[in-house]
Amino acid sequence: MGTRIDSSHSVHSDNELQLGLETLQLRSYQYEMLQKTMRGNAILAMDTGSGKTFIAVLRINAALESCPPEKFAWFLAPTVALAEQQHQVLSQHLPAYQTRLLIGDDDLPHWGKKSIWDEVLFNIRIVVSTYQVLLDALIHGYVRMSTDIAILVFDEATTPKIFREQMFQFVPLPILIKLKYPPNPPNLRLPHSLDMLHKLYQNLDITQDPYVIKLKANPSDVAALRKIMANRQTYCQIHIKRLLSKAYTINEELGPWPTSHFIHSSIEKFEAGAMEGSLNFDDLSNNEISYLRRQFATITKCKQQDIKEDTEISPKAISLVHFLKEKAVHGFSGLVFVETRATVAMLAHVLSQHPRTRHALKVGTFVGASSHASRHEIGELLDIKNQKATLEDLRSGQKNLIIATSALEEGIDVSVCNHVICFQKPTSLKSFIQRRGRARHSESTYAIMYNEFDDSYDPSTWHDIEEHMKQIYMDETRLLREVQELGVTDERENREFQVDSTGAKITLNDAMGHLYHFCATLSSHTQQVDPRPTFTFSEARNGITAHVLLPSSVNASVREADSKYSWSSEREAKRDAAYEAYINLYHAGLLNDHLLPLKFDLEADEAKLPVGKQPSLVEVPAQLDAWSDIVSRKWQGQPKLFASSVLVRCGEMTLSKMIMILPLALPNPINFRAYWDATKSLEVEISPGQPSDSLLDRRAMMKSDSTDFPCFFVPAIAEDLQSWMTAVGGSNAAQILLGSDPDLAHVGLIRDLARNELAHFFHGIETVPRIPSDELFTHDGPQRRKEDDSVDEVLIRVRKIPKRVDFLHEIPYAEMPKDGAGKYQSLPLGQCKVDRLPFEFSQFAMLIPSIMHEVELYLAADFCRSSLLSSVQINDLSLVVTATAASVAREQTDYQRMEFLGDSMLKYYTSLTLMAENLTWHEGVLSAKKDHIVSNARLALSALQLGLGQFVRTTPFTGFKWRPLYTSNLIVDQIKGARDMSTKTLADVVEALIGAAYIDGGANKALSCLAVFLPEVPWALSSLQIEKLQTTYDVSIQYPPNLARLENLIGYTFDRKSILVEALTHPSHCGSNASYQRLEFLGDSILDNIVVTNAYRYKPLIPTPSLHLIRTALVNGSFLAFLCLNHRAPVARYDAVKNRYEGFSTIRSTTYEQIWCFMRAAELSIRQTQQSCVSRYDSLQEEILHALMHGRRYPWALLTKLDAPKFFSDLIESIVGAIYIDSHGSFSACQSFLENLGMMDYLRRAMDGKFALLHPKEELGQLANQEKVKYVTVNEDDEDCVKKVLTCVVLIGEREIAKIRGGANLIDVETRAAEEAVRIIKAERAPLQRKVL
């Protein structure tokens, strides 16, 4: 197949082509031309800058994707210079293929062997050469056209010699008038209002912009913040800049008086709309509107005076006034074409107010009626609602002059007009002809205004160009179409589509605007993607038909549509195609019943939440009291009793064994740690309850006033309980301890008779010399008497019983007894008595409050499990205990680790389910729906509706004022209050329960738990969802041969090659494949899940804060982009060199293939962006790699400096998603790919704690403690005063800590500044820390 590129009417400059490629996006006419080249041999005759090479690049890419891998594309250029230039372009914009430039300097005629040609062309897919090189290769059989070349592209600089005699139908033409005007004076002074507006814009502090403040407050918006600070394109900045640009244009075109009027009128209209609440600025929040009002308030308002002299308007406006004054006689009817809407408004105002024209002219305005969002902006002073009346007024004579934009050039009948004035030069031949066609009366005039000193322009040259274009391009058919496009409309179809349930309807007239709005809502995450639909046209038997192609993120089933009928003009056919496309979108479920793009209202869930004392709080039931709400009710009547053994251990030693009696069975074992003192901890084990009728007798043996307890503890002994109780009752004199070696565990409490029988722990007996009676005795220990005393005294070594009741928490360091102080005392033997009850039982009694608290936790968790979570069937009750304990409750375990796991599971299953259940949804809708489902508001609302709040424990156990519980009191006291709880806590508990279910039973139980809290989502097993997704991919489809190389690179071979093709397709690609955005959406959640589950399961357990740091460091765009750039595979390449023996031979070299090279994109500017990023990567690679592999700190600043575009990380995530679907949901296959990338090595290093992961800005915040950290970032002149550079100053309080100059963007410079500030503060504090040590 051959494609011929005709560069007629032009001479290439060195930079012209490259500039065009950097900025060009695929337009409708380019898409149409590309499609024609796909059908066969084609000649493209297009002007310079119109995108010929762009089309050639896309056509070559399409050919290489469909041809066998042994074939290549050959691009021919007429000159060596042009060949070199085109080789550079093709290499840059098709990086997935190796290219080769062959020119005469390579001494090709002397290669002499086909083997050299074969090696030189080994692995080469694109060859660029002059014509003679290919001719010689074909003549000598080194290359065969039929077997080697897939596509041949000619780049010519000549015009095809196709001429045809044509007759042009005679039409009356208006008289062309060259309306000259003098230039503006060089000393023209800016009006005061314009000067003030200019200074306002110059002095704007972007860090105070509400949108920047909003992005800074949300860590997930780092990428968006970085982009905004780099281009300074906040919504407020854009609106002010546009207003300033319009004002400058008006000042240049019309002069100072209309400029001042425009500025003050625009601000007044904005202010009035803000006060009335009638502003229609979809892109501005209330905070941004208030911010703009404050800024505009600085512009001094003054009363506008009438125009008194010509010096108040521009010379150009004066010339127009004089011309119109001369022509405005009886029967005058005119049009003035201007370029901008603002100029329309102000020129109309000038002509209505100027003393020379205000009585002669009745002025109206006409501008485009586009519903595009840009029309809602400051400086839009025209009301377009009455424009149809304006045209009618012109026809009826109520108005005699219309100021209009190009919207009035075509398609609208203004045949009564006899004077047309172009206030600016026509922008094209088409514009020249169509404007001229508005002056249809005989002896009409067509005036074109131009600067009298502009020698480069003569309006009459349009006639010459017109005649030349007619000779080359027009035939009778094209002439007929041109006439039809100048205003003929076909109104034979008046179709409309209506949704019965809402009454919403769409017609041919408004389908176009709605379709553009739908496309604008698609999430592309990149500026290099044109979201607009692409229209192409075909000639049918009865007229013109249109075909519309929507962006690649739209499902293939509704991505394309055709007009239903043939039309007489492209415009009408375009409307028809848009109408059909929009109806298809509705039937595909991409529009709601109001015929608007799908939108999920998070605020609706937030509105349903009951408001607490603060906005973030909601009211929930009081914390469930298991003793009152569960156990006390069981004691009513004649309950069946259950016994649970309670063991208290210290290491391998059992200290006590008791039996707990309850009117219900403990369903699960309970194990917890009790902190006896600062050095010793005990393990408490409680077994599940077993029914036992004999326990009734034991309860009856209790004293009559002690049978009202909700639970009982009795010793696990074989003897009769009554006999045991008698035996251990009361106390003995301490002398009973003499004559034996008493066991500490069996000696009862020691009571000091001198201190009202104050109880102590027994710690042994000691004998010391007697202390004379005149010497003081201290309780800290005995004083030894003089050496000559000979009578000894027996003392009991004791320790006071602590007042602690809470043994569930470690003793705070501040409350620990100091070494040797207050630990032990010695009491005289005769001053003491000893309890008969062994110490093990006294010790157990002290633990009862803590034991009852732990039992209560499990009873409440069991109630939650058997009621709210009954369908989940969680076996391990300790998981529910942990999942329902907030950190403020200070339990031994809380929900934070499980919430970390559950959050990832929720996002993974939500992403998979949404993709599988909504096969036509694009990524923008999927992300919006997922955000709605996993939002705190939605989860909290579900928790409230299900009553989860009562199970969430937020009150810490302290044992303070603990008293025994009595069943009768618990039954009477049933009035429950309420408490406030944050919505985040409720949402976290839901996620923790999802994590608990997953730990207990894997995917099945996790899905069951999800169904409890989010029943509206059709949860299903992953295998079933994946089967749905796999059915959308055709296993028999032909795929680009070069994908085999990519499969080797990523280490996975696809069964469904079409999935891999989709994973590589950027949203800008114009082919039939869907873009990678849906796969990237899924891959993001899978990647997160792999990192989270690996980190969660790591042994020893990683603290929860560190888990979050690991996820943040390993699942972020900058890091993934680096992996994409860094992963590569070697590829052989051969070059021909002179050889002293055989003339020529080849030498082998190695180049490398990288994943990003295989991305399929249609926007050539993306390739430029890739190359720029690769240059930064080359300079940073070694430093980043060293930090990741050997450094002690994660390279946050270096990754930020890399400034990688999002599509690099998108590729990694989309490939993960593709592998997951193709491998039937194999996480191991996905992890294997990540292993190949090197990501798992870095994850293991992070889990091992080999480097610090805390972001410098977070670390600085911690070092600052309570002081405020402020980043002041401004643009300053560099050292040579040549350009502006970003400078960031870090302040802690009022003190300047660090200053950094220069950076890729705001995030880069702030991160490096924070890093430097951390280094400085640590260096300052190091001497103080050494001094303390």
Side-chain angles (χ1 to χ4, degrees), residues 855-866:
V855 170
E856 181 188 10
L857 295 182
Y858 276 77
L859 291 174
D862 184 53
F863 185 39
C864 177
R865 176 177 66 173
S866 61

Side-chain angles (χ1 to χ4, degrees), residues 751-765:
R751 297 188 181 274
D752 186 354
L753 299 176
R755 294 193 173 189
N756 295 321
E757 299 188 3
L758 182 65
H760 297 76
F761 296 139
F762 174 74
H763 276 275
I765 296 176

Side-chain angles (χ1 to χ4, degrees), residues 1182-1202:
E1182 291 186 8
E1183 200 174 353
I1184 294 175
L1185 275 179
H1186 182 271
L1188 290 172
M1189 298 173 65
H1190 310 291
R1192 298 176 61 185
R1193 296 185 61 83
Y1194 185 83
W1196 285 109
L1198 291 172
L1199 290 173
T1200 304
K1201 191 174 182 180
L1202 181 62

Side-chain angles (χ1 to χ4, degrees), residues 223-239:
L225 177 61
R226 178 175 60 187
K227 176 176 153 187
I228 285 294
M229 296 305 293
N231 59 28
R232 304 183 70 83
Q233 294 293 304
T234 68
Y235 298 108
C236 292
Q237 291 257 353
I238 290 171
H239 276 284

Side-chain angles (χ1 to χ4, degrees), residues 830-848:
Q831 186 180 311
C832 302
K833 67 178 181 178
V834 57
D835 288 349
R836 292 174 185 167
L837 183 69
F839 168 71
E840 61 186 275
F841 297 104
S842 300
Q843 183 184 44
F844 183 87
M846 295 180 67
L847 295 174
I848 284 178

